[in-house]
Every structure is written in C-alpha cells, then in structure tokens.
Amino acid sequence: MSRKYFGTDGMRGTANKWPMTAEVALKVGMAAGVVFRRGKYRHRVVIGKDTRLSGYMIENALIAGFTAMGMDVFLLGPMPTPGVAMLTRSMRADIGVMISASHNPFQDNGIKFFGPDGFKLSDEVELQIERLIDSDMSLNLSDPAMIGRATRIDSTRDRYIEFAKRTLPRDLNLNGMRIVIDCANGAAYNVAPEILWELGAEVFPFGVDPDGFNINKDCGSTSPEALAKKVHEVRADIGIALDGDADRVIIVDENSKVVDGDQLMAVIAESWKADGRLSAPGIVATVMSNLGLERFLKGHGLSLERTKVGDRYVVERMREGGFNVGGEQSGHIVMSDFGTTGDGLVAALQILACVKKMKKPVSEVCNRFVPVPQVLKNVRYASGKPLEDKAVKGVIKAGEEKLGKQGRLVIRASGTEPLIRVMGEADDANLLNKVVDSIVDAVKKAAAS
C-alpha cells in the first residue's frame, strides 16, 4: 500500500494546508487512538512540541482526537523529541507524540509517533493508522463516561535535564569550558543551556528566544554560520548547534570550523571501542555518510552498516544487528545505551566527554578522518516523478560507470520536501562535479517537462 500521509519521519507539511490541517490532525489522533487502544484500562498519551505557532492548533486537534477515543492526554509543552521518546517509556504511556517539523522553517509542521517502547513506529503500524484516517471511526468513539482527560504537566523538563546529565560519568564536569549553545529557537531552548550550566560550563546561549516564527531562522544545525561567528567572538572552546526539535547536532570547533555527524560518529565509535563499550564491531549510518568514515572505521577493525535515509531506519538496523551506535551525517546520533532515537544534546555531551578525556582541543578530537570529496545538490520539482524519466536514468547510469569503484552516487527523492537530492562522492573532485552537474541538469529538464 502506498503511503498517503506518512513520509520518512512521520507526517510533515505546510501548516493549515493538507495534510497538516486541524481536521487531519483530529483524525490522526482518533486513528492512532484506535490502533493503540489495547485493553479496558485508562490509556495514556504524551504530547510534546517545538515552538512553532501552528503547534497550538495541531496540539488541540490531537487532544480532541485522542480524548474522543478514551485516551488520557498529558501535555509536555516544548520538549526535545528524544525527551518525548524517553518520557513515553518513563510514564508508561501507550503512545508518544512530537509535534515538530524538525529543521524546517516555521510555516511547516509535522507529527511524529513513538510506541510504548519509545521507538518510532514501523511502516506497518503507520499504514494501519493511514487506513483508519480515511475511514468512518464513529463506531470506535468512547462512551460519554470514558472520554479522556487532558492534563498539562510541568515536571518533565527537570526529568529530561536529569536524564541527560546521567548519560555522563558522575565525576565528569565541564568546569573551565566555554561553550556556545545554539538552540535554534526550538524545543531545547529552556533545557540545553541549563544542562551545560549545571555541569559546570560557562555557557553562551543563543537561539533561545522563540516567538513562534523564528525557529531555525538563520540559526540551528542547518545554519551554523551564526554559531561559528559567536564561537570566534567569545573565544569559546566549542559551539553546539541543535535543530528545531533537538534530535540532531552539529559541532563547531574553537577555530569556527563546522564538524558534521560523520566525524562525531567516528569520535564516539573510536572512544567507545577503546573503552569496550561497543556492543557490536561497527556502527550504523545511512547511504549519505562519507566514504572517509567507512575507511576510518575499517582501519580500526569496525564495519559501517548502511541504511536508507532516515534515523528510523538506522535504529531498525541497530536493533536487528545489536549495534549501540548509529546516526546520520546530518547530525542524528543514536546511542541505544541512552535512548531510542537521535538526541542532539546527549551526543554533544559524549563529544564533550571525549574532549575532557583526551585533554585536547575540539579541532583535534573531532578531526578523525579526511572526508572524500562529496557534493550534494537539490532539485525542486512541482509534480511528477523525474527519477523515472528515461533520459535521467541514462545519465545516472553513465555517471556510475565514470566513477567506477572510486566513487558512488546516491540519487533519491526527499521524504519531507518536493526535492530530488543528488549526492555523489569520489576521490577525483573534478570528475565528481561533472558527473553530478550532468545528473542535476537532466533532472531539471525532466522536472520542467
């Protein structure tokens, strides 16, 4: 069955336009309530959100849907996505919901689900919900006496702060470190700076004044330029940039150089192997991760298992293979010893632990390998399926033959935006650029026809 509502990371779209309307959100709450209503006890739902203006609308619509199905709703307010996953398990909830469009601009929003185990839903469960959204659910409505209640709880912020701090050894502190933290005016604005301060760091926060419109605007992990400038300005030891829902992280070293998720995974994998903490001889990443990471891991006797794009698929492979470290180049870092999904702040804390342990500057700690030249270009399209065009297929095949074994191509449609992503990497940068440009041109022509 084709997917109508769900993409690679839950539902996502422009707020107040299909499918991110109050009407659809109401039906989503009802449908998810039916799927996760598994007995005659009082069922629980926890709902967190980021700081987008549309979060209020979607939150209230979901509340109506869940309570109509007899589920009690606990509202967390602004909360990082990994915090919602953790609290879903901690509060013994039947389902967890995060209202967020992650790194997208404020006008977008989305709905992510977590099962009672704190993991994102499988494709099969999402399809169950999809089938119900467009069906008549009137027969599933609760009796008047069984309609659910909605309660806003305030203690969860402190619970996430304590959880994050406990991922570090008790005797480790950040005394003497100057840290810039960019919270993207998003979900972590009121927890991330406090965690770093409580651990002893001198903290320089920004992106901590959300107004409903400025989430991810010229800040956060997708716009690290402001962070790099601030690190230089205050002579910080490190800069940490989260995205809107704080499930991904990008680091900036003391020289204002950006460090991506591949380097962070290399740091953690090498450190955890030395400490005997890796549960399997390797890590999991997506097809987008750099060949340099794969070669680095191989040099340390570790493998790199690749999945399709999406941290949900990384987590699925980690669970299948018994891996406890995985992630994406974009900064989703998953450490299953601590949580069930990517956690930008906890990943940053692990990097800080390595910096303290090695007693070296961030520029040395986070420079584990030389990346293979990589090019990523996006082509926006209005409709159709450009990748099924015969001419596009021919150009892609020719490009693969030119790169041979010294490079690779990953061409895919985005699961969250109407984009074709053309990524290539090869040791020969000039050849790589020619190949990628030829594919981009072919895709543009197909998209325009």
Side-chain angles (χ1 to χ4, degrees), residues 19-311:
M20 295 312 303
T21 64
E23 180 184 11
V24 173
L26 168 68
K27 293 179 179 178
V28 168
M30 294 173 71
V34 171
V35 171
F36 284 89
R37 193 169 61 187
R38 298 171 176 176
K40 294 187 177 181
Y41 59 91
R42 298 291 296 187
H43 291 71
R44 294 181 180 178
V45 183
V46 297
I47 300 179
K49 61 181 180 178
D50 62 25
T51 57
R52 295 163 207 271
L53 177 65
S54 58
Y56 295 98
M57 175 189 74
I58 296 170
E59 181 182 58
N60 282 290
L62 286 169
I63 291 169
F66 282 122
T67 54
M69 294 299 160
M71 304 191 88
D72 291 333
V73 179
F74 295 88
L75 302 172
L76 310 179
M79 174 65 62
T81 288
V84 174
M86 180 272 289
L87 289 162
T88 300
R89 291 194 301 174
S90 176
M91 295 179 65
R92 309 300 192 271
D94 297 278
I95 189 168
V97 184
M98 179 64 183
I99 303 169
S100 176
S102 190
H103 59 280
N104 286 28
F106 91 92
Q107 59 263 33
D108 293 339
N109 217 329
I111 301 172
K112 305 178 188 182
F113 286 107
F114 296 95
D117 57 1
F119 288 97
K120 291 181 179 179
L121 306 186
S122 66
D123 289 341
E124 292 73 24
V125 175
E126 287 183 346
L127 286 173
Q128 286 183 46
I129 295 172
E130 286 213 354
R131 282 191 284 265
L132 286 167
I133 291 172
D134 292 327
S135 69
D136 180 4
M137 290 178 280
S138 60
L139 295 177
N140 299 107
L141 293 171
S142 290
D143 294 332
M146 295 302 293
I147 292 173
R149 301 174 185 269
T151 306
R152 192 167 296 277
I153 50 178
D154 300 319
S155 63
T156 53
R157 174 175 171 269
D158 295 330
R159 290 172 70 171
Y160 178 73
I161 287 173
E162 286 305 310
F163 155 76
K165 291 194 300 183
R166 286 176 184 171
T167 62
L168 294 175
R170 277 187 176 275
D171 59 348
L172 190 145
N173 63 62
L174 303 178
N175 294 345
M177 293 199 74
R178 295 167 64 86
I179 301 176
V180 180
I181 176 73
D182 175 1
C183 299
N185 291 311
Y189 81 96
N190 61 0
V191 293
E194 185 163 339
I195 290 169
L196 296 170
W197 177 81
E198 289 187 13
L199 288 168
E202 184 179 4
V203 183
F204 300 85
F206 77 98
V208 291
D209 298 299
D211 60 10
F213 303 95
N214 60 1
I215 186 169
N216 300 313
K217 185 178 180 181
D218 301 323
C219 59
S221 63
T222 52
S223 300
E225 298 82 13
L227 175 63
K229 183 178 179 181
K230 189 71 173 179
V231 167
H232 176 75
E233 178 186 319
V234 303
R235 301 184 304 280
D237 299 301
I238 188 173
I240 300 168
L242 306 173
D243 68 337
D245 67 334
D247 65 352
R248 68 166 73 176
V249 63
I250 292 295
I251 297 293
V252 169
D253 69 22
E254 77 281 4
N255 299 318
S256 296
K257 181 181 177 182
V258 176
V259 179
D260 67 14
D262 284 346
Q263 292 283 1
L264 302 184
M265 284 189 282
V267 173
I268 294 170
E270 183 180 27
S271 175
W272 282 29
K273 184 190 178 187
D275 294 342
R277 295 171 63 186
L278 282 182
S279 60
I283 68 172
V284 180
T286 74
V287 292
M288 301 300 284
S289 279
N290 195 275
L291 271 173
L293 172 61
E294 189 169 344
R295 293 171 181 174
F296 169 82
L297 293 171
K298 187 176 180 181
H300 285 74
L302 300 173
S303 65
L304 178 64
E305 299 269 338
R306 292 187 184 269
T307 72
K308 58 184 177 180
V309 173
D311 65 311

Side-chain angles (χ1 to χ4, degrees), residues 365-388:
V365 173
C366 294
N367 185 21
R368 309 322 295 162
F369 64 88
V370 177
V372 171
Q374 187 179 81
V375 176
L376 171 61
K377 294 189 177 183
N378 297 321
V379 181
R380 189 168 291 274
Y381 64 100
S383 61
K385 297 180 179 180
L387 293 184
E388 294 183 7

Side-chain angles (χ1 to χ4, degrees), residues 375 398-399 401-404 406-407 409 425-438:
V375 176
E401 291 173 352
K402 288 178 182 177
L403 294 180
Q406 299 305 310
L409 292 170
E425 55 185 13
D427 295 311
D428 187 335
N430 290 329
L431 175 61
L432 172 64
N433 279 299
K434 290 178 181 177
V435 168
V436 169
D437 286 344
S438 67

